[in-house]
Amino acid sequence: MGMVEKSSGNVYEDLGLPNAGEMQVKAILAAEICEIIKHRHLTQVEASEILGIAQPKLSCMLRGQFRGISEARMLECLNKLGRDVEIIIRKPARSRAAGLTRVVFE
């Protein structure tokens, strides 16, 4: 039987990939964009028109291939899909020297 290793909560970090934090944030944003598109019963063509993104690029993003799409662009997509986006900056917990980025949905 193989050994099981506990996840850090970020699969990109667990795999040792560069920019793991950024990739995790993008994955969460892409998943939310996908859920909104599904909830509104939009086709990819309809969604791409709303978002101002070419349909093939939207398709790639929805399949987790979002390296060529910035976080800012993904936040803009959420705005175009009718979502408010807030960015809050605060001091990190005393237990950490470096800050962290996370995405929270209400």
Side-chain angles (χ1 to χ4, degrees), residues 76-88:
E76 183 182 317
C77 288
L78 288 166
N79 290 150
K80 288 182 177 183
L81 289 168
R83 297 299 189 267
D84 291 336
V85 176
E86 293 181 29
I87 298 174
I88 300 170

Side-chain angles (χ1 to χ4, degrees), residues 2 17 28 33 55 63 81 83 94:
L17 298 176
I28 293 167
I33 291 166
Q55 184 276 325
R63 288 184 284 118
L81 289 168
R83 297 299 189 267
R94 290 181 183 227

Side-chain angles (χ1 to χ4, degrees), residues 15 17 39 45 48 54 58 72 80 86 88-89 94 97 100:
L15 294 172
L17 298 176
H39 180 74
V45 171
S48 69
L58 176 61
K80 288 182 177 183
E86 293 181 29
I88 300 170
I89 301 171
R94 290 181 183 227
L100 85 112

Side-chain angles (χ1 to χ4, degrees), residues 34-75:
C34 184
E35 285 302 312
I36 295 166
I37 290 169
K38 284 182 185 178
H39 180 74
R40 290 177 57 180
H41 305 288
L42 297 171
T43 66
Q44 283 190 11
V45 171
E46 292 167 334
S48 69
E49 290 171 2
I50 292 168
L51 301 176
I53 295 177
Q55 184 276 325
K57 191 166 190 168
L58 176 61
S59 178
C60 287
M61 181 178 68
L62 298 178
R63 288 184 284 118
Q65 299 170 349
F66 37 74
R67 286 191 187 264
I69 302 173
S70 70
E71 290 175 36
R73 182 69 176 109
M74 295 173 100
L75 295 174

